[in-house]
Amino acid sequence: MTFISRTLAPGILSAAILTSGFAQSPGQPLTLQEAVNLALSRNPEVLVAQEQLEELKGRIKEVRSGAFPQISADAYGLRIRDPSILNSSSFDKVPQEFKDALVPVPANLFDMGFVIKQPIFTAGKVRTAVRLAEETQREKMAALEAVRQRVTFKVFQAFHDLLLADENLAVVNETYEQRKKHLEQARSRFSNGVATEIDVLRSEVNVANTEPELIRAQNRVKLARSALNNLIVVDLEAPTQIAGRLDYRAWAVSDLAQLQDRAMESRPEMMVARRQLQEARHMQSLANAENKLSIDFEGRWGYSVREPNNFFNNEFSRWNVTFNFRLPFYDSGRKAGLVAQALSRTRAAEHGLAQLENSVRLEIKSAFEDMQSSSKAIAAARLNVAQAERVLTMMQANYQHGAATTLDVVDSQTALTMARNTQIGATYDYEMAKARLRLAAGSPILDQEVNQP
């Protein structure tokens, strides 16, 4: 593969994923569940957590291998000429006939054999290391689930941000059309001599003042769509359309304490903290196993020859069996240092677990209170919207008969816009508080109501 192809291939692949990996069918907007599924299958945050889990599986295989035999084949070939005997300090005393026979000549040496190594006793180190690796794998599994829930919540929030932006844009559009219509009425009344030029000018100013707000609302929709595109890993400028409305769907929570207790058991972050505590305890066991007796077995069998044709001749076979016993007596405080570190790590994990428990209970209580207050705000906003709509209808009718001014109509339009935006905002706050409560409690963030019309 050339340098250019190695350099361009990753970029081409990424571009292909972004451009052709997601194609929305015309007339089929993206549902919230579909957006979540796309994010969970593509989002880098989830993919990184999955790869970390796969890495731990390989680590477990590596650690387990320490408890089983290791077999290898060794071989080497050597050609040597060694004049060491000629340099001996007593060589001058050797008779001449022996000197003539001790002329160094080059020689070959070939060696081939198989080596097997097997730990016999490790004071529990290998067993504890395997348990530690397995506990770490369970931690990564819980961490993966926590990442999946966080990504689901992010998609939920981005999806509802886009719904909120769409709803706000619709309100601004409606207000803009109302003010344009009122401008036409003011011009008509002015031409008929029943209104002043001030009414026309005020109506024109109100229409012009609404246009920047309309542009800002359109930009908020674009930004919200780009944020959603980023989470589902498509081109930021993709014209993604979504299905659904920003509706109020009540979720009855009967027992807040029960919800908190369930979070202690099922929330992934709590599982991660408990696994980390177990890992710290296993590390403490490993530290305590230092400086204890260990026994290893090593055996070798093979051939050592000067001529290759003597291989597999039993006269030239060579074997040995070794048992290695190791019992350290003094390590200058190394074990004490390891034990102290492991003990501190265990206590830190215990404190972290206790702190997380309090944080989770606080998150649940905060989200629950926000959900309750948002529910009350929705009820009040609905009443305000109904009253504001009635006032606007009355002012528009009064203006037709000359019983109201342009300022009266504009004030009623502004009041209706604020009431509708308040209702939309309260609905958004309720849905987000509900999602935060489910996330904090370890419950599924997407419930059946997300697919209801």
Side-chain angles (χ1 to χ4, degrees):
M1 182 180 290
T2 65
F3 172 78
I4 295 178
S5 61
R6 290 196 305 268
T7 305
L8 295 182
I12 294 174
L13 179 60
S14 300
I17 292 175
L18 288 177
T19 56
S20 62
F22 169 72
Q24 189 174 16
S25 302
Q28 293 184 353
L30 192 67
T31 66
L32 177 55
Q33 183 66 65
E34 291 169 345
V36 169
N37 292 340
L38 284 173
L40 293 181
S41 63
R42 299 177 177 180
N43 193 278
E45 190 175 352
V46 177
L47 298 180
V48 168
Q50 290 175 344
E51 292 304 323
Q52 290 175 344
L53 180 59
E54 292 301 319
E55 179 184 356
L56 256 296
K57 292 180 180 179
R59 173 63 178 164
I60 290 176
K61 290 182 180 180
E62 177 189 357
V63 174
R64 281 178 175 168
S65 67
F68 297 99
Q70 309 293 316
I71 302 175
S72 61
D74 294 341
Y76 68 86
L78 174 68
R79 182 170 177 80
I80 186 173
R81 180 182 184 278
D82 187 3
S84 299
I85 192 172
L86 302 181
N87 296 318
S88 173
S89 60
S90 59
F91 189 73
D92 293 337
K93 299 179 181 180
V94 176
Q96 185 63 41
E97 58 270 20
F98 283 99
K99 291 182 180 180
D100 296 337
L102 293 176
V103 176
V105 295
N108 297 328
L109 181 61
F110 301 97
D111 193 283
M112 179 189 71
F114 296 92
V115 179
I116 179 171
K117 297 180 179 180
Q118 170 67 55
I120 297 178
F121 179 75
T122 61
K125 285 185 178 180
V126 174
R127 181 177 63 253
T128 304
V130 171
R131 290 177 179 174
L132 175 61
E134 291 174 345
E135 201 66 47
T136 306
Q137 182 186 18
R138 297 187 187 99
E139 178 204 337
K140 291 300 181 182
M141 293 175 64
L144 173 60
E145 181 59 29
V147 170
R148 290 174 61 88
Q149 289 194 9
R150 287 199 301 269
V151 170
T152 300
F153 178 79
K154 289 180 181 179
V155 174
F156 184 94
Q157 185 174 20
F159 196 93
H160 282 74
D161 285 345
L162 183 52
L163 289 177
L164 176 63
D166 283 335
E167 295 279 354
N168 286 333
L169 177 59
V171 171
V172 175
N173 265 324
E174 184 177 354
T175 303
Y176 184 65
E177 294 300 324
Q178 289 175 351
R179 292 185 175 179
K180 286 173 60 178
K181 183 178 179 180
H182 180 74
L183 175 59
E184 294 175 0
Q185 293 175 348
R187 287 172 176 171
S188 176
R189 287 173 56 80
F190 176 69
S191 63
N192 294 329
V194 294
T196 64
E197 186 179 0
I198 295 178
D199 278 351
V200 176
L201 293 175
R202 284 175 173 171
S203 299
E204 290 175 347
V205 169
N206 289 327
V207 171
N209 287 338
T210 309
E211 290 175 354
E213 181 58 32
L214 183 61
I215 294 173
R216 286 192 290 268
Q218 292 169 346
N219 288 336
R220 285 194 291 268
V221 171
K222 292 179 181 178
L223 289 175
R225 181 175 288 111
S226 296
L228 179 61
N229 288 340
N230 179 54
L231 288 171
I232 62 177
V233 193
V234 298
D235 184 19
L236 295 182
E237 302 301 324
T240 304
Q241 300 298 322
I242 61 174
R245 289 178 53 84
L246 191 59
D247 293 329
Y248 167 66
R249 297 184 176 93
W251 182 40
V253 179
S254 57
D255 190 350
L256 185 61
Q258 183 179 3
L259 201 62
Q260 291 174 331
D261 292 339
R262 187 173 67 184
M264 298 300 107
E265 298 296 328
S266 59
R267 180 160 170 173
E269 287 85 350
M270 294 298 304
M271 297 181 184
V272 170
R274 283 193 289 268
R275 298 302 181 192
Q276 290 175 344
L277 177 57
Q278 286 298 112
E279 292 170 24
R281 289 171 177 167
H282 287 314
M283 292 293 293
Q284 189 173 349
S285 299
L286 281 176
N288 288 323
E290 288 290 324
N291 292 356
K292 291 187 177 181
L293 176 66
S294 63
I295 305 174
D296 296 321
F297 165 82
E298 180 176 339
R300 190 182 190 283
W301 176 86
Y303 294 91
S304 181
V305 301
R306 287 193 300 112
E307 300 295 335
N309 56 5
N310 286 326
F311 274 125
F312 307 110
N313 185 340
N314 290 334
E315 295 296 328
F316 295 89
S317 65
R318 182 163 68 95
W319 61 267
N320 64 279
V321 175
T322 305
F323 289 90
N324 297 315
F325 296 82
R326 183 174 182 273
L327 181 60
F329 288 101
Y330 181 71
D331 63 358
S332 300
R334 179 176 179 274
K335 177 181 177 179
L338 291 175
V339 171
Q341 294 177 53
L343 185 60
S344 294
R345 191 180 297 112
T346 301
R347 288 197 293 261
E350 291 172 348
H351 296 324
L353 178 59
Q355 182 181 12
L356 181 59
E357 289 177 352
N358 290 334
S359 297
V360 169
R361 293 184 184 278
L362 180 60
E363 286 180 29
I364 292 176
K365 181 175 177 59
S366 175
F368 176 77
E369 296 297 336
D370 289 345
M371 192 175 70
Q372 296 298 104
S373 61
S374 297
S375 178
K376 296 177 181 178
I378 290 172
R382 285 176 173 175
L383 179 60
N384 291 339
V385 168
Q387 292 175 341
E389 288 175 344
R390 184 179 178 187
V391 170
L392 177 59
T393 302
M394 294 171 61
M395 286 301 173
Q396 287 173 337
N398 290 343
Y399 182 78
Q400 288 285 359
H401 297 90
T405 65
T406 296
L407 288 177
D408 294 330
V409 176
V410 171
D411 287 345
S412 60
Q413 290 174 345
T414 303
L416 178 58
T417 300
M418 293 179 61
R420 285 177 174 169
N421 282 333
T422 300
Q423 181 181 354
I424 294 170
T427 304
Y428 172 84
D429 292 341
Y430 180 86
E431 291 299 311
M432 292 308 304
K434 181 171 64 176
R436 286 193 293 111
L437 180 58
R438 287 174 172 171
L439 178 66
S443 302
I445 297 175
L446 299 188
D447 210 340
Q448 293 298 324
E449 77 262 11
V450 301
N451 294 321
Q452 292 179 358

